[in-house]
Amino acid sequence: MNGHRFEHVQQVWTHRQGQLVIDQGAWTVRFVIDGVRGVLVGPVAAAVMEAGEAALELPAAGDLPSASLHVGLRAADQSADQGWVDRFAAYHPAEKGHWCVMEVRAARLLDGVMDNAPLTSPLAGVEGRVLRGLNADKAGLAAAAGRVLGSEVREALAIGVDLAGIDLRTSAGLRRLRATAPLRDEGAVRAWLGVPG
């Protein structure tokens, strides 16, 4: 995990929304994480894009404290990679704005400041296959999610899997299953959920 503790990974990967703060104000931004390139991608306002850099404030989530990422902003090249467009559509409703890549230059995580944030995932290259496998047994996935969350889950659809957990679309909206240990491969995902391979 490149010197990051698992708690740092959880602190960052739990979020898909935050506040971009620049001198002129603050804007809510929804984003997805590109686990191959280690960047965040999402639509932003023109004023934000013009700033060139910003602070991305991530709120506290349950027992995870807030975090702050200093990000450089650049226009996303939609012709170079459509993968993140599909990923964004799975997580968020359609939004208007300038598609922006946010590259982390520094991060305040838990108890210190670091030069980067843990934004790459060893599952990024096989994520599609893992998701197809999990979604092939929707009843089993819903039951496993219910065990992790401690409450009944209906109509679960896995839309993202990474080092720190699984994101589901359910009848109650987006739900995050936070892993208890790093998920480094498909076997680790299945063992954690208790679903057959």
Side-chain angles (χ1 to χ4, degrees), residues 7-194:
E7 293 84 359
H8 297 150
V9 178
Q10 288 283 20
Q11 195 177 13
V12 174
W13 281 87
T14 296
H15 297 282
R16 297 296 180 273
Q17 179 173 313
Q19 289 283 321
L20 275 174
V21 180
I22 58 176
D23 291 341
Q24 293 87 344
W27 288 262
T28 297
V29 61
R30 291 183 175 92
F31 57 84
V32 291
I33 301 174
D34 182 331
V36 174
R37 295 170 185 85
V39 297
L40 311 169
V41 182
V44 301
V48 173
M49 183 70 83
E50 291 167 4
E53 61 182 20
L56 175 59
E57 303 296 335
L58 304 177
D63 61 338
L64 296 171
S66 62
S68 181
L69 309 177
H70 178 186
V71 295
L73 309 171
R74 65 175 171 80
D77 183 356
Q78 293 184 49
S79 64
D81 183 5
Q82 288 292 308
W84 54 261
V85 176
D86 295 337
R87 175 179 288 276
F88 192 91
Y91 279 88
H92 304 293
E95 293 194 25
K96 294 182 178 178
H98 300 273
W99 286 96
C100 177
V101 172
M102 293 164 264
E103 298 175 341
V104 177
R105 296 177 177 167
R108 180 185 48 78
L109 301 173
L110 294 175
D111 51 2
V113 176
M114 304 168 189
D115 290 336
N116 56 29
L119 292 173
T120 57
S121 171
L123 290 166
V126 296
E127 183 178 22
R129 184 180 73 220
V130 174
L131 293 175
R132 284 189 298 276
L134 293 175
N135 290 325
D137 179 9
K138 289 193 170 62
L141 176 61
R147 287 191 299 274
V148 172
L149 294 170
S151 61
E152 185 179 8
V153 174
R154 298 179 186 211
E155 302 175 22
L157 177 70
I159 60 171
V161 61
D162 54 71
L163 185 66
I166 299 171
D167 293 313
L168 301 177
R169 182 169 298 287
T170 72
S171 56
L174 288 178
R175 301 292 301 268
R176 174 76 173 170
L177 305 182
R178 285 175 44 196
T180 52
L183 303 176
R184 299 186 187 281
D185 54 39
E186 185 172 1
V189 173
R190 292 189 171 279
W192 169 55
L193 289 179

